[in-house]
Amino acid sequence: MYPNKPLEPQPTVNSAIATSTIFITKWPVEIQLLTSFEQSFNNALNAGFPPAQAIWQAQRKLLCSRKWAHPKYWAAFELV
């Protein structure tokens, strides 16, 4: 897989918790962005945030970064 090649939107199942928590990307995203988002999302879940707040925490982390601050990056993720 190419490091900067966009991924097609697809659901991602979070296996870090017992219940199924699924988020999707609304458009293709870079693998590096997806990896960063997943790490932040899992960290927030493991810290005890419910899924809706965990996704916001992960989006907020992207929003506050220089590299991923534009909405085309952090707004791609949605909880379903």
Side-chain angles (χ1 to χ4, degrees):
M1 185 173 274
Y2 302 99
N4 292 321
K5 183 180 183 227
L7 297 175
E8 291 300 316
Q10 56 187 316
T12 302
V13 177
N14 181 337
S15 60
I17 59 174
T19 61
S20 62
T21 303
I22 300 174
F23 65 81
I24 61 166
T25 60
K26 295 182 267 186
W27 49 82
V29 298
E30 295 177 22
I31 189 72
Q32 186 180 10
L33 171 62
L34 180 61
T35 301
S36 178
F37 180 84
E38 283 182 321
Q39 288 174 345
S40 296
F41 182 67
N42 286 329
N43 289 343
L45 286 173
N46 292 333
F49 287 99
Q53 288 181 336
I55 203 165
W56 169 238
Q57 290 295 322
Q59 287 175 315
R60 200 170 121 215
K61 187 169 182 178
L62 295 174
L63 175 63
C64 292
S65 74
R66 274 197 157 169
K67 185 173 184 175
W68 308 116
H70 192 279
K72 73 180 181 181
Y73 300 118
W74 60 264
F77 301 95
E78 183 177 321
L79 191 65
V80 293

